[in-house]
Amino acid sequence: QVQLVESGGGLVQAGGSLRLSCAASGHTFRWYAGGWFRQAPGKEREFVAGVNWNGGSTQYTNPVKGRFTISRDNAKSTVYLQMNSLRPEDTAIYYCAAAVGLGNPPNHFNDYDYWGQGTQVTVSS
């Protein structure tokens, strides 16, 4: 079992930055891929970014490429999402997730095994 707790959300103006953190506890987190998803009101949960077990492989959804960076620190059992140049359309609840496995990070929510409770990100125009 892995428990995930997100932090770092909040209200920011368009063009600003936030860094989300996802702290893991329980089973050895280094053997899991980490991912970030988001869900806006009335929309489905969508993949944002993923990182493999050692940080050597990452992937992003197209709308955030060049603006968001996912990383991890296995010594701290934490995955980060640095979000720059935020836009109002980035407003959503952001969820951290963990997937068992050592391959490339998956990009579909069905492939993730554990989830955090989410943190709200609101970008004002």
Side-chain angles (χ1 to χ4, degrees):
Q1 281 280 47
V2 174
Q3 293 79 43
L4 303 172
V5 178
E6 302 98 335
S7 62
L11 173 64
V12 64
Q13 289 188 332
S17 299
L18 285 173
R19 187 176 82 154
L20 304 183
S21 299
C22 173
S25 61
H27 201 255
T28 305
F29 185 62
R30 66 169 62 91
W31 307 128
Y32 293 78
W36 287 96
F37 289 74
R38 65 187 180 186
Q39 188 166 18
K43 295 188 177 181
E44 294 185 349
R45 190 171 299 191
E46 66 170 351
F47 172 78
V48 175
V51 61
N52 76 329
W53 71 280
N54 65 356
S57 176
T58 59
Q59 62 172 312
Y60 300 88
T61 187
N62 284 338
V64 309
K65 284 181 179 177
R67 300 189 297 124
F68 291 10
T69 303
I70 189 170
S71 62
R72 67 188 296 159
D73 184 341
N74 283 342
K76 296 181 179 180
S77 297
T78 302
V79 175
Y80 303 97
L81 184 68
Q82 178 66 44
M83 305 186 295
N84 298 329
S85 302
L86 282 162
R87 304 167 180 169
E89 54 264 39
D90 294 318
T91 295
I93 299 174
Y94 283 70
Y95 296 91
C96 175
V100 175
L102 302 180
N104 289 327
N107 59 10
H108 194 278
F109 64 83
N110 280 342
D111 294 324
Y112 283 81
D113 304 288
Y114 302 100
W115 293 86
Q117 293 300 307
T119 185
Q120 177 70 48
V121 171
T122 303
V123 184
S124 63
S125 57

